[in-house]
Amino acid sequence: KVTQKMTADKSAKVANMFRFGMQMVMPASFEKISYYGRGPVENYADRKTSTDLGIYNQSVDEQFYAYIRPQENGYRTDVRFAEFTNDSGQGVRFEAVNMPFCFNARYNADEDMDPGLTKKQQHPVDVDSRGELYVNIDYGQKGLGGNNSWGAQPLEKYRLKDQT
């Protein structure tokens, strides 16, 4: 059982969080994913009405979406369980207890997608695999926003504003 909690200073002026959860590095061979959640394509808090709840079996490569510029991708929401296994069936299973969780998995760390303080002009083919599997298991992630041609923040209900 994993329990994670954050409590911010109530008087601190902090920005909304992008995501709250944990990231782990696993062997790249745990590339087979079976999950019960929204799919089969990526979905986010404010971009999931076109996805259905179901059991999906995919590889890590099938989770990846090659946007023209490397960025966050492959997210799955409303997940009740997610299993990551190798060819022998060995692996790890995550199960929701009190509420669904979200996840994504790829062969790159977040910082590989957009390294540094300035945007690096690269494409997905420019981002090499690290040879390890990076898995995010999250309480949630703020929505994508962009209700006005990608200039707007997500609607209030899709932001992670609670400081506890």
Side-chain angles (χ1 to χ4, degrees):
K1 180 176 181 180
V2 175
T3 302
Q4 185 176 22
K5 182 177 181 177
M6 180 196 78
T7 304
D9 180 341
K10 298 284 185 205
S11 64
K13 300 249 186 238
V14 296
N16 295 337
M17 289 187 289
F18 174 68
R19 80 175 347 133
F20 183 71
M22 58 184 243
Q23 183 179 83
M24 67 200 77
V25 181
M26 300 189 330
S29 61
F30 287 19
E31 64 186 354
K32 297 178 189 296
I33 304 171
S34 178
Y35 73 96
Y36 175 41
R38 293 200 175 269
V41 297
E42 71 176 2
N43 52 90
Y44 295 82
D46 58 351
R47 299 287 189 278
K48 64 182 180 181
T49 57
S50 65
T51 57
D52 294 323
L53 278 173
I55 296 177
Y56 298 96
N57 297 294
Q58 300 172 327
S59 68
V60 172
D61 286 333
E62 290 172 318
Q63 300 261 310
F64 183 79
Y65 189 87
Y67 289 105
I68 191 74
R69 187 181 133 263
Q71 59 189 290
E72 167 68 29
N73 69 80
Y75 209 60
R76 303 301 195 268
T77 63
D78 297 335
V79 177
R80 276 54 170 196
F81 75 80
E83 295 177 343
F84 296 83
T85 57
N86 61 17
D87 286 338
S88 301
Q90 297 172 318
V92 63
R93 177 181 172 105
F94 301 94
E95 290 187 22
V97 176
N98 298 324
M99 60 184 285
F101 61 92
C102 307
F103 84 92
N104 70 340
R106 58 180 178 249
Y107 297 114
N108 300 94
D110 293 339
E111 56 269 21
D112 296 341
M113 299 295 144
D114 197 8
L117 297 175
T118 59
K119 299 216 182 293
K120 184 177 177 184
Q121 298 304 318
Q122 61 184 7
H123 299 284
V125 297
D126 299 323
V127 181
D128 294 326
S129 168
R130 290 191 178 206
E132 299 172 307
L133 182 58
Y134 289 77
V135 177
N136 290 298
I137 302 293
D138 298 331
Y139 159 78
Q141 185 181 99
K142 79 174 188 174
L144 300 178
N147 295 351
N148 66 349
S149 296
W150 300 108
Q153 286 290 314
L155 298 175
E156 289 288 325
K157 65 183 178 179
Y158 300 121
R159 297 182 192 181
L160 296 178
K161 300 183 339 178
D162 190 358
Q163 294 183 348
T164 301

